[in-house]
Amino acid sequence: MKLRIRLWPFRNPRSALRTMIVTSLCILLIPLSMGLFLYMKAEGSLEKSTNRSNAALLEQLKLMLDNKLSEVDILARQVVFDPKLDYMLKIPDQMSSADRYKFVEFMQDKMARYRSMISDFIFDYFVYFARSDTIVKSDMITDSRTFYSTNYTFKGQSYEQWQKGMLDNLQTGTYSPVASLARGLNPLASLEDIPAEVIVYSQTLPVRSPSDNQGQFVALIDVDLIKRMFAQLESASHSSIYIIDEKGRTIMSTSETPIPEALLKRTEQASAPFAYKMDGVDQMVSFVSSQQAHLRYVSVTPNDFFMRQVNQIQTWSVRLLILCLLLGLLAVIASVYRNYKPLQHTLNAIMSGKPLSGRPSSGEYEFIRQTIEGSIHEEKHLRSTLSKQAPFIRANYLSRLLHGYTEPDLSAGGEETLRFMDLKFSGDRFAVLLVHIDDLPPASEEGERQRALARFIVSNVSVDLIEPYHAGFPVELDRDRIAIIVNIGPEREPEGPADIRTIAESLFDTLKQRFKMSLTVAAGDIHQGPKAVRDSCTEALAALEYRLIMGNDVIIHFRDIVGSSEHYYYPLETEVQLINLVRGGDADNVAKLLDKIFSMNFDASPITPELGKCLFFNVISTFLKIRNATNANPEAELGSDFDPIKAVFSHQTAEGMQRITKELYAKLTLSFNVGRTGHHAQLLQEVVGLVDGSLGDPNLGLAMVAERLGMTPQYISTFFKKHQGQTLLEYITQKRIKSSKRLMRDKELTIGQISQMVGYNNDVVFIRAFKKLEGVTPGKFREAFAMDPAGDPS
């Protein structure tokens, strides 16, 4: 893709091309900066993650080694706290046979038994008794010199050095640095595999007073097993592992290089991890302390390996940054090309229609602005042409103003536009009058002429009547509806509300008396601001809807209906009463109740037209409920295709809707007007039969009976109470208890089974009902019946 743009605009400091390039480059720097910031955060996060991983491995190593060292501690406690040990420590060199036998018992019963309880981690262990110069192992008893010469020796130590450093030295459960072993002088004395290196654990005896130094408990730990544990961390991180005791001695390490004294002090003062330079190489040092063995585990990792992943991310990030920079530059070129090309085409198009010899000296946008200013002059010529369409434009503008699609512009430019449409607003306060013509002729050619004449009369009369007070602008909204926008003059703002009432009354009287029109006038309140016309028009439409309540040939002001009730009176009890009266065939009381409903809603406290329609809809809904639930044939009176909703809502006033509603209810009530005495007896028999046949149904109740008979629960409840002398629930309970008493003759039935057979899902409820009626529980009743079989359980 080539950026085929001439260089002349780029040399211009005000050129749009130069601005686009600089802006695009600045935008490109934003993601690059964010990427660099995210890389720095990711690098720090990865470094912390590596530290945590290394510390976790070191902690795992500590836990593993502590677990193994706990075997040494357990073994030592088993041996040094043996109750016979204190006595054996005091046995002299010249011992009796009984005392010698105690050593044999100690070897067989204690030392040999402990060998089966420990792992290979402990290579060997023995107890040295100083007074008798006796060493007791799990498989032998000998003196110290014979032991050292025949079993294993420590490299570089003579017997005297070994005795002084290990057997005679005061130890309090401490570990000694790694020592090398060699087979003793008599290879047949021991067939064990001797490890190359061991760590020696020593405890001076007795433990309670180690200063007496009457002996030593010694355990030798195989270093090879410890190094195997270190292998995982060492191979994973190329680390050197050091184990340091409380005195700062290196017990063992995986490196030939000793730990520097400065690094050792640093681990006592600093927190892990920290950087350290050792032998000219940058290292990362981590350490963790063991409270159990009082040891410190130190890991020293080369920084190159430690930061290997970070360095890899750094390399890839630099490559990615360069790639993003190259792609970003290509995107800048493509974006500039795409954005500037339409502008260049626009310039070429403008210049192709202008007699210019060369390129403009100013920037592209300035050149376009100058061109537009020249075009404005041409607009004036077009205005004269449009003036012929001014009436249609004016009507459209006023209509949009009424619907809130535009606002009255009172600025200098807006006044010019208004003058073009022959309009002039003296302020931003407006009111709207709506005139609805009620008695227009039906649609026909002659009817359309009469409708047009009526609209013309209303428009001209309204302007003439408004002119002495304010400015009026009529708008034809429909064939039978005209809106008049009244612009309130500033000099009569206080008298504005009174003027609107005067204008509405004058317009109503003039059209009705002089032109014999049947009409309704609705007036909205006066509003101020950009949406004043729309708001007042909305109010006028709401007032016009009140024809439903107030009828035709009236003047309705929105201010007069603001306090209308926001709810209507038709409670559930009234609906039930209406249903029962209709079912009872009481036509007089049905008519009185409907009049009461109408009076409560429209006379006492007028409601809104919407709620009035909702009220009539609910009353007709009740009518449909009764008609659909009855077994009678109301179609004989009403007709099969009769639609009561259309019949009611075909009237535009509440009085008309009320009249049709009463006629419908009168016809429906007539269909129920039969001999009520026989009907009551039959209904009571149906209820009793339904109850007797459904005692085992747990759903048996007032709702179920009413649903089966197609009547309301309230009516069934009142009817049964009146003719039976008790509620339906009481009757059902008595019948169920009586039936259960008969079932109790069968001794194989349990109380729970009987309760379900008579319709109780819960035997607790059954027992409570039984006790309430009989005075005893079902169990007690059954016991009494068993004692007196001749009695009647019913």
Side-chain angles (χ1 to χ4, degrees):
M1 180 182 63
K2 296 181 180 180
L3 187 62
R4 308 176 79 179
I5 301 175
R6 294 184 176 89
L7 294 178
W8 72 267
F10 189 78
R11 295 172 181 172
N12 191 339
R14 293 181 291 176
S15 170
L17 177 61
R18 174 176 292 187
T19 303
M20 290 180 183
I21 293 175
V22 173
T23 302
S24 299
L25 290 176
C26 292
I27 294 174
L28 177 62
L29 290 177
I30 295 176
L32 293 178
S33 303
M34 294 177 64
L36 183 61
F37 173 78
L38 292 175
Y39 161 73
M40 295 173 63
K41 290 292 184 181
E43 182 180 15
S45 176
L46 186 59
E47 185 174 347
K48 291 179 181 178
S49 176
T50 306
N51 285 333
R52 287 194 297 267
S53 177
N54 201 41
L57 287 174
L58 194 60
E59 181 69 20
Q60 182 182 5
L61 175 64
K62 182 203 79 169
L63 294 175
M64 293 171 59
L65 192 54
D66 282 358
N67 184 46
K68 291 295 184 180
L69 292 178
S70 65
E71 293 183 18
V72 179
D73 185 63
I74 294 172
L75 177 63
R77 291 176 181 273
Q78 293 285 345
V79 174
V80 302
F81 291 107
D82 190 276
K84 296 180 180 180
L85 193 64
D86 290 342
Y87 176 80
M88 296 172 65
L89 288 171
K90 297 175 182 178
I91 296 175
D93 188 19
Q94 300 298 325
M95 65 183 75
S96 63
S97 298
D99 290 337
R100 186 173 297 279
Y101 183 73
K102 290 185 179 297
F103 285 101
V104 175
E105 285 184 329
F106 184 76
M107 177 190 70
Q108 294 177 346
D109 298 340
K110 304 295 182 181
M111 301 297 283
R113 183 164 57 88
Y114 294 149
R115 166 56 68 182
S116 63
M117 299 170 57
I118 61 176
S119 65
D120 295 337
F121 182 76
I122 302 176
F123 160 66
D124 198 8
Y125 62 95
F126 60 88
V127 179
Y128 170 67
F129 299 87
R131 289 191 178 184
S132 60
D133 190 28
T134 302
I135 291 180
V136 179
K137 277 184 56 177
S138 61
D139 56 353
M140 67 180 299
I141 302 174
T142 184
D143 61 280
S144 61
R145 183 177 292 277
T146 302
F147 173 85
Y148 191 76
S149 61
T150 60
N151 284 271
Y152 44 77
T153 62
F154 287 78
K155 290 183 179 180
Q157 292 187 26
S158 63
Y159 166 75
E160 289 75 18
Q161 292 174 330
W162 173 73
Q163 183 182 33
K164 182 178 180 181
M166 181 178 296
L167 302 182
D168 297 337
N169 194 14
L170 184 64
Q171 303 289 344
T172 57
T174 58
Y175 295 89
S176 301
V178 173
S180 300
L181 293 183
R183 189 176 296 278
L185 299 177
N186 182 7
L188 297 178
S190 176
L191 299 178
E192 298 176 332
D193 293 329
I194 300 175
E197 295 178 322
V198 294
I199 295 175
V200 180
Y201 171 86
S202 302
Q203 173 62 54
T204 303
L205 302 175
V207 178
R208 297 175 182 84
S209 56
S211 59
D212 295 343
N213 197 3
Q214 298 176 12
Q216 294 282 346
F217 169 77
V218 179
L220 281 69
I221 301 170
D222 192 347
V223 173
D224 289 337
L225 295 178
I226 299 178
K227 288 185 177 181
R228 291 175 195 171
M229 297 180 189
F230 287 0
Q232 180 182 3
L233 180 61
E234 187 178 8
S235 62
S237 60
H238 293 259
S239 304
S240 298
I241 311 298
Y242 297 87
I243 301 179
I244 312 297
D245 66 1
E246 296 178 289
K247 301 176 182 179
R249 297 181 302 171
T250 301
I251 302 301
M252 71 159 292
S253 71
T254 61
S255 174
E256 299 295 333
T257 305
I259 187 169
E261 189 69 21
L263 176 58
L264 194 59
K265 291 182 179 179
R266 184 89 179 268
T267 60
E268 297 173 354
Q269 299 172 356
S271 58
F274 61 87
Y276 185 81
K277 196 165 190 176
M278 193 168 82
D279 296 335
V281 179
D282 292 330
Q283 310 277 355
M284 185 63 68
V285 180
S286 301
F287 61 90
V288 63
S289 298
S290 171
Q291 299 298 327
Q292 178 177 345
H294 304 289
L295 298 176
R296 227 175 319 148
Y297 302 85
V298 182
S299 168
V300 181
T301 307
N303 219 24
D304 289 341
F305 182 84
F306 185 82
M307 297 293 289
R308 182 176 58 184
Q309 290 183 330
V310 177
N311 294 335
Q312 289 178 352
I313 290 180
Q314 185 178 23
T315 302
W316 280 104
S317 298
V318 171
R319 294 176 182 176
L320 185 61
L321 181 64
I322 295 174
L323 178 62
C324 291
L325 185 60
L326 293 176
L327 294 177
L329 291 175
L330 292 176
V332 168
I333 295 173
S335 175
V336 170
Y337 175 84
R338 184 172 181 177
N339 293 329
Y340 186 78
K341 199 66 178 177
L343 182 61
Q344 187 181 37
H345 290 163
T346 303
L347 290 174
N348 293 336
I350 293 174
M351 296 185 66
S352 63
K354 287 187 173 291
L356 297 178
S357 58
R359 295 283 181 177
S361 58
S362 59
E364 295 91 334
Y365 290 112
E366 179 64 17
F367 174 69
I368 293 173
R369 186 190 66 80
Q370 294 174 359
T371 303
I372 292 174
E373 287 180 351
S375 300
I376 292 175
H377 297 288
E378 300 176 2
E379 181 188 1
K380 295 180 180 180
H381 173 70
L382 296 176
R383 283 182 175 273
S384 61
T385 304
L386 292 175
S387 61
K388 300 177 182 179
Q389 304 296 326
F392 303 99
I393 297 175
R394 172 184 174 179
N396 180 65
Y397 173 80
L398 293 176
S399 178
R400 291 173 59 82
L401 200 63
L402 285 169
H403 292 90
Y405 299 149
T406 187
E407 300 173 0
D409 189 358
L410 303 180
S411 62
E415 288 182 357
E416 182 180 353
T417 303
L418 293 175
R419 279 198 302 271
F420 166 74
M421 294 182 289
D422 194 20
L423 295 174
K424 182 179 180 181
F425 297 145
S426 58
D428 61 348
R429 296 173 63 86
F430 294 89
V432 175
L433 299 177
L434 288 179
V435 179
H436 187 276
I437 306 172
D438 297 322
D439 58 350
L440 289 177
S444 63
E445 183 176 353
E446 180 63 25
E448 287 300 326
R449 284 197 294 269
Q450 293 183 16
R451 289 171 183 266
L453 178 60
R455 293 195 296 270
F456 175 79
I457 293 172
V458 172
S459 299
N460 285 273
V461 170
S462 62
V463 172
D464 293 338
L465 293 175
I466 296 172
E467 200 170 51
Y469 306 95
H470 309 282
F473 309 97
V475 186
E476 295 183 5
L477 299 180
D478 204 348
R479 293 187 303 174
D480 56 356
R481 187 172 297 180
I482 299 95
I484 301 101
I485 301 175
V486 181
N487 182 217
I488 307 301
E491 66 280 357
R492 291 189 61 85
E493 282 187 11
E495 296 83 5
D499 291 345
I500 294 297
R501 290 185 177 273
T502 301
I503 293 171
E505 292 172 1
S506 300
L507 180 61
F508 180 82
D509 294 339
T510 301
L511 294 175
K512 191 163 187 63
Q513 294 175 10
R514 293 184 58 183
F515 297 97
K516 308 301 181 182
M517 289 185 180
S518 176
L519 72 158
T520 301
V521 178
D525 281 348
I526 298 174
H527 291 268
Q528 184 175 10
K531 301 295 183 181
V533 177
R534 182 202 63 184
D535 295 342
S536 185
C537 180
T538 302
E539 293 176 353
L541 287 170
L544 191 62
E545 288 294 323
Y546 268 78
R547 289 185 303 148
L548 174 69
I549 311 300
M550 305 178 68
N552 296 328
D553 287 332
V554 292
I555 302 174
I556 309 172
H557 291 272
F558 180 78
R559 184 181 297 273
D560 298 338
I561 64 172
V562 170
S564 298
S565 176
E566 294 297 331
H567 63 276
Y568 61 82
Y569 172 82
Y570 190 53
L572 183 61
E573 295 80 3
T574 301
E575 183 181 22
V576 172
Q577 184 182 2
L578 182 60
I579 292 173
N580 293 333
L581 289 174
V582 173
R583 284 182 172 275
D586 193 348
D588 293 337
N589 285 325
V590 169
K592 291 179 181 179
L593 184 57
L594 290 174
D595 288 338
K596 177 184 177 183
I597 295 171
F598 183 85
S599 176
M600 291 290 292
N601 289 283
F602 293 94
D603 295 341
S605 178
I607 60 177
T608 63
E610 294 78 11
L611 287 178
K613 292 178 182 179
C614 185
L615 170 65
F616 279 107
F617 185 84
N618 284 342
V619 174
I620 295 302
S621 175
T622 304
F623 173 87
L624 294 175
K625 290 177 186 177
I626 302 171
R627 191 182 74 169
N628 296 335
T630 181
N631 294 324
N633 185 23
E635 285 78 4
E637 295 290 339
L638 302 176
S640 58
D641 298 331
F642 179 74
D643 189 345
I645 296 178
K646 288 184 178 179
V648 172
F649 287 97
S650 62
H651 290 264
Q652 297 181 350
T653 62
E655 289 82 357
M657 293 182 181
Q658 173 70 358
R659 185 179 67 256
I660 296 299
T661 301
K662 291 177 66 176
E663 292 176 0
L664 291 174
Y665 268 92
K667 293 179 181 180
L668 183 62
T669 306
L670 182 62
S671 66
F672 283 92
N673 194 8
V674 295
R676 307 309 297 169
T677 303
H679 174 72
H680 290 166
Q682 181 183 357
L683 179 60
L684 181 61
Q685 184 179 0
E686 290 179 1
V687 173
V688 172
L690 181 59
V691 170
D692 292 345
S694 306
L695 288 177
D697 190 346
N699 296 320
L700 178 61
L702 180 61
M704 174 181 168
V705 173
E707 182 180 0
R708 294 281 184 87
L709 297 177
M711 299 180 179
T712 62
Q714 294 83 357
Y715 179 79
I716 293 296
S717 177
T718 304
F719 171 80
F720 195 85
K721 176 73 172 179
K722 178 179 179 182
H723 294 85
Q724 191 68 16
Q726 62 182 153
T727 65
L728 182 61
L729 181 60
E730 292 173 348
Y731 179 78
I732 293 173
T733 303
Q734 288 180 359
K735 298 294 287 184
R736 282 175 168 171
I737 298 303
K738 185 175 181 180
S739 178
S740 68
K741 288 162 63 177
R742 288 195 297 269
L743 292 172
M744 286 182 188
R745 295 178 179 177
D746 189 350
K747 298 180 180 181
E748 294 182 359
L749 294 176
T750 64
I751 298 300
Q753 291 173 334
I754 293 174
S755 68
Q756 292 183 357
M757 293 174 67
V758 297
Y760 288 98
N761 286 330
N762 191 330
D763 53 351
V764 175
V765 178
F766 167 68
I767 293 172
R768 187 181 298 119
F770 193 96
K771 187 176 181 181
K772 181 177 180 182
L773 289 181
E774 299 296 330
V776 294
T777 63
K780 294 291 185 181
F781 181 86
R782 173 175 271 185
E783 291 177 3
F785 174 72
M787 295 176 63
D788 185 13
D792 184 7
S794 62

